[in-house]
Amino acid sequence: MRYLVTLILSILVIVAAFHFARPLPNTHFDESFLPKANYVRYIAAGNNSSVAGLFWIKALTNLGESYLTGTEFAYLGHLADLCTDLDSLFYTPYHVVGGISVVDSPDTSDFKVFRRGHRVYPEDWRLALYFALRLAKGPYPDKKAAADVMRPYFDSPDTTIPVHIRTIYRSFELDTMQTEVAVMTIVEDVMQPRYKPFLESFSSKMFNLLGYRALENADERKRVKDTIKDIIGKVADGKLHPQYAYGLFVSMKYEPPVEPAADSTAAPADTTAADTTKKD
C-alpha cells in the first residue's frame, strides 16, 4: 500500500509538472519542462521503471499527435534520454529513437540515447548501426568514430547480421582517407583470406571511390565495373601484383569533363555586310 501511494504521488507530480509548464522562448512546444532524472528519482521512491514508462507514454502520445497535426515534436530525444537514464534497460526508447531519427538532424539530443543503448546492449548490432549512422551523417560527422562502433560486428557470432553490415565499418574508414590511401587499403583488404566473401563489395567501393558514380552512360559504367571486378578478382587469386593493381586503379580515377570556357578575346562577328545590304 505504501508503494502504491508513492506511485500515485509520483504520477500526480509528473502530471502537474507538464500541466504548469511554460514554453521556452522562441519555441512553439508545450513540453518545454523536462525534469532531470536525478530529481525524478527522489519522488519515484524506487519505482524508476514505472515512472520511466509513464514518461515514455507521454512521449509517444505527443509524437502521435504531432503526426496527426503535422507539427514538429522536438522532444522525443530528450524524453528518451530521461526514460533510459531512469531505467537503462528500458529497450523500447533506444529502438524507437533509432528508427525514426533523421541521420543528419542538427538536434543531437538523441546522441546520449544512442551512446547509452550501445553501452547497455553492446551485442545489438541494430542499435550500434543507428549510432554509427548518426555519428557519420550528423551535424559534426565523425567517420572514424562510426567505424570504431561497427568494427566489432565483423567477427560477431550473431548470424542475423547481414554481410554488408559486417563490413560497413570499412566504408566509414575509407570515407575518411585520401583517394590514394583508400585505394591501397582496399587492395590490401582484397588480399586477406578473411575478406574473400566480400569481393563484390570491394568492387562497388572501388567504383564509388574512383568517382564513377558521376558517370551517366550506362554502357560505360558497366564496362568500368567489369574492369574493376576483374582486377580485384586477379589480385585475390594472386594473379596480379597488388602494387600493379594499385597503379591501375589510381590511373583510372574519373575526372569529369570540363566544358571549355567562352573565349572573351574572340573578335565580334562582322556585321558590315548586313548593314550594307540594309542601306541598299
Side-chain angles (χ1 to χ4, degrees):
M1 185 65 183
R2 181 182 59 185
Y3 296 109
L4 181 59
V5 171
T6 303
L7 181 59
I8 293 174
L9 289 175
S10 301
I11 295 173
L12 292 175
V13 170
I14 293 172
V15 171
F18 276 105
H19 178 73
F20 292 107
R22 293 292 181 270
L24 294 174
N26 301 321
T27 67
H28 303 284
F29 307 108
D30 293 331
E31 290 72 30
S32 300
F33 172 76
L34 286 175
K36 293 184 178 298
N38 289 339
Y39 299 153
V40 175
R41 287 193 181 93
Y42 285 115
I43 62 175
N47 298 288
N48 293 351
S49 297
S50 300
V51 175
L54 293 173
F55 273 109
W56 185 242
I57 291 172
K58 177 65 175 177
L60 294 182
T61 301
N62 288 358
L63 179 64
E65 290 176 354
S66 71
Y67 288 153
L68 293 175
T69 60
T71 57
E72 183 183 0
F73 178 60
Y75 285 92
L76 184 64
H78 296 279
L79 281 166
D81 176 35
L82 173 60
C83 294
T84 54
D85 194 0
L86 288 170
D87 181 8
S88 61
L89 296 179
F90 193 2
Y91 180 82
T92 304
Y94 300 128
H95 184 67
V96 172
V97 171
I100 69 176
S101 287
V102 180
V103 293
D104 59 351
S105 172
D107 179 15
T108 59
S109 61
D110 54 354
F111 272 60
K112 292 177 66 177
V113 181
F114 290 134
R115 287 193 180 91
R116 186 177 294 121
H118 183 53
R119 185 181 69 251
V120 176
Y121 295 101
E123 75 288 348
D124 194 313
W125 62 268
R126 292 177 179 84
L127 296 184
L129 182 61
Y130 295 147
F131 186 24
L133 290 174
R134 281 293 276 141
L135 287 170
K137 304 291 184 180
Y140 311 102
D142 190 343
K143 305 293 179 61
K144 182 182 182 302
D148 292 341
V149 168
M150 294 307 299
R151 187 179 293 106
Y153 299 94
F154 175 80
D155 294 323
S156 172
D158 186 353
T159 57
T160 67
I161 304 178
V163 171
H164 67 282
I165 297 299
R166 290 183 180 275
T167 58
I168 196 172
Y169 79 94
R170 297 302 278 151
S171 299
F172 294 133
E173 285 181 335
L174 294 171
D175 205 18
T176 64
M177 302 177 184
Q178 295 180 345
T179 302
E180 290 74 15
V181 176
V183 168
M184 179 55 74
T185 302
I186 292 180
V187 172
E188 291 173 350
D189 286 347
V190 168
M191 298 169 58
Q192 298 189 38
R194 67 173 185 159
Y195 288 132
K196 191 82 171 181
F198 310 116
L199 296 185
E200 189 73 30
S201 176
F202 288 134
S203 297
S204 299
K205 285 183 173 61
M206 187 67 77
F207 180 86
N208 296 331
L209 179 63
L210 296 177
Y212 284 98
R213 280 185 293 189
L215 195 61
E216 296 181 357
N217 187 287
D219 293 335
E220 187 66 13
R221 288 171 64 93
K222 184 179 185 305
R223 184 191 67 78
V224 174
K225 284 183 178 180
D226 290 342
T227 301
I228 291 175
K229 186 176 181 179
D230 180 63
I231 295 174
I232 284 181
K234 288 179 179 178
V235 173
D237 294 336
K239 297 178 181 179
L240 186 66
H241 194 280
Q243 195 62 40
Y244 183 66
Y246 167 80
L248 288 175
F249 284 133
V250 171
S251 67
M252 289 173 60
K253 186 176 179 180
Y254 179 69
E255 299 292 344
V258 179
E259 296 183 1
D263 188 357
S264 60
T265 62
D270 186 5
T271 59
T272 305
D275 292 342
T276 304
T277 303
K278 289 179 181 179
K279 291 178 181 179
D280 293 343

